[in-house]
């Protein structure tokens, strides 16, 4: 756990998207919590990557805009319920769609069957994949998302699942 003087340094690392360094200082991945809310449904309907959109306004320091690998976790799972999934995580304003509101969206890798609306969830950020960027069109965005998801799969392959 960071000392008092280290906290500002850890917050700065998170603000810069340097989640691996923040995790080393914290002794665990940086976590953001929030309730899953309805988004624009582009991930499910247009892009092929359904995401859990966290209302993370009060749930912790959100890292710099970009794409990350990490974990999507139920913070209060029912007995025996599946509780954690490796994830590709997007933080930002969705500039390809002229977005202005900053969001935290997590795609549970290779899962399109999860119904998480209204559930309190957490996202653990373990690796930064790239910064946020605007794409020329949806096809270019989907191509980049496929590469991001593949990179997240590789990065998460050997990661130990966190405790809920």
């Amino acid at each position: 756990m960071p000392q008092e003087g280290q906290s500002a340094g850890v917050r700065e690392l998170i603000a810069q998207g340097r989640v691996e360094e923040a995790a080393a200082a914290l002794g665990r991945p940086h976590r953001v919590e929030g309730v899953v809310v309805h988004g624009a449904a582009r991930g499910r309907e247009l892009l092929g990557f359904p995401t859990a959109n966290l209302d993370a306004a009060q749930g912790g320091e959100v890292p710099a805009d970009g794409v990350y690998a990490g974990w999507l976790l139920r913070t209060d799972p029912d007995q025996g319920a599946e509780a954690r999934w490796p994830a590709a995580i997007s933080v930002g304003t969705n500039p390809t769609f002229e977005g202005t509101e900053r969001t935290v969206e997590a795609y549970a890798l290779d899962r399109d069957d999860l119904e998480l609306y209204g559930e309190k969830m957490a996202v653990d950020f373990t690796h930064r994949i790239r910064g946020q960027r605007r794409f020329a069109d949806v096809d270019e965005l989907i191509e980049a998302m496929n590469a991001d998801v593949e990179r997240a799969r590789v990065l998460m392959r050997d990661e130990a699942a966190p405790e809920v």
Side-chain angles (χ1 to χ4, degrees):
M1 198 61 146
Q3 298 291 325
E4 182 82 24
Q6 293 176 307
S7 295
V10 170
R11 281 193 301 276
E12 183 61 27
L13 291 171
I14 293 165
Q16 294 173 7
R18 295 163 55 189
V19 296
E20 295 94 338
E21 293 171 68
L26 291 168
R28 60 168 173 73
H30 174 63
R31 178 173 285 185
V32 171
E33 296 184 359
V35 174
V36 176
V37 297
H38 289 274
R42 281 188 218 105
R44 179 177 305 276
E45 296 173 7
L46 178 65
L47 304 173
F49 297 97
T51 59
N53 297 280
L54 265 61
D55 177 8
Q58 303 299 317
E61 300 275 334
V62 176
D65 291 356
V67 178
Y68 299 84
W71 294 95
L72 175 64
L73 307 103
R74 280 190 169 110
T75 58
D76 190 22
D78 292 331
Q79 188 75 11
E82 190 174 11
R84 58 187 147 248
W85 304 270
I89 307 148
S90 173
V91 175
T93 60
N94 298 306
T96 302
F97 298 103
E98 307 295 333
T100 57
E101 187 174 323
R102 204 159 176 252
T103 62
V104 176
E105 303 178 51
Y107 166 62
L109 298 179
D110 305 313
R111 297 296 298 264
D112 63 3
D113 60 335
L114 300 174
E115 292 297 331
L116 303 173
Y117 295 115
E119 290 196 45
K120 188 169 181 198
M121 303 291 289
V123 173
D124 283 357
F125 294 86
T126 60
H127 306 278
R128 184 175 172 112
I129 295 174
R130 66 171 172 84
Q132 178 180 260
R133 60 179 282 230
R134 180 187 177 98
F135 294 93
D137 56 36
V138 171
D139 290 335
E140 187 179 307
L141 171 60
I142 291 171
E143 186 177 322
M145 290 175 73
N146 278 306
D148 296 337
V149 167
E150 183 55 35
R151 181 74 180 130
R153 280 188 195 106
V154 169
L155 290 167
M156 298 306 292
R157 191 169 291 141
D158 296 323
E159 287 284 326
E163 293 298 317
V164 177

